[in-house]
């Protein structure tokens, strides 16, 4: 699992906030290419176009703290 920042929420304004860091889940076997599984504002995971996000590498300590706030 990793993290990505939302750079384009067009069409998903209620589900995604611009410039917010979201948790990215591992893809499931039937997920289409070009999409990533994000835990969005509903606290559920959904597929979104990967072009709307930029992966971010957080330092380990920061990643642990962010994950703790998401739980």
């Amino acid at each position: 699992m990793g993290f990505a920042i939302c750079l384009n929420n067009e069409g998903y304004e209620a589900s995604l906030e611009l410039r917010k860091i979201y948790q990215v889940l591992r893809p499931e076997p039937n997920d289409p290419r070009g999409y990533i599984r994000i835990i969005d504002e509903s606290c559920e995971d959904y597929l979104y176009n990967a072009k709307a996000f930029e992966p971010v590498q957080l330092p380990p300590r920061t990643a642990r703290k962010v994950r703790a706030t998401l739980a």
Side-chain angles (χ1 to χ4, degrees):
M1 288 187 245
F3 297 96
I5 188 167
C6 178
L7 300 176
N8 181 352
N9 69 345
E10 188 175 334
Y12 300 101
E13 292 84 357
S15 302
L16 299 171
E17 292 182 32
L18 282 177
R19 298 176 296 281
K20 182 173 178 177
I21 294 173
Y22 288 93
Q23 188 173 9
V24 179
L25 301 179
R26 287 186 180 97
E28 294 185 4
N30 60 344
D31 287 353
R33 285 194 182 274
Y35 285 80
I36 58 175
R37 194 167 287 278
I38 297 285
I39 298 178
D40 66 13
E41 296 304 312
S42 70
C43 297
E44 298 288 331
D45 64 285
Y46 291 98
L47 289 172
Y48 292 98
N49 192 317
K51 292 179 183 179
F53 296 87
E54 183 67 31
V56 292
Q57 186 71 30
L58 301 177
R61 179 174 172 231
T62 304
R64 281 192 303 274
K65 287 184 175 188
V66 170
R67 281 190 187 99
T69 65
L70 297 173

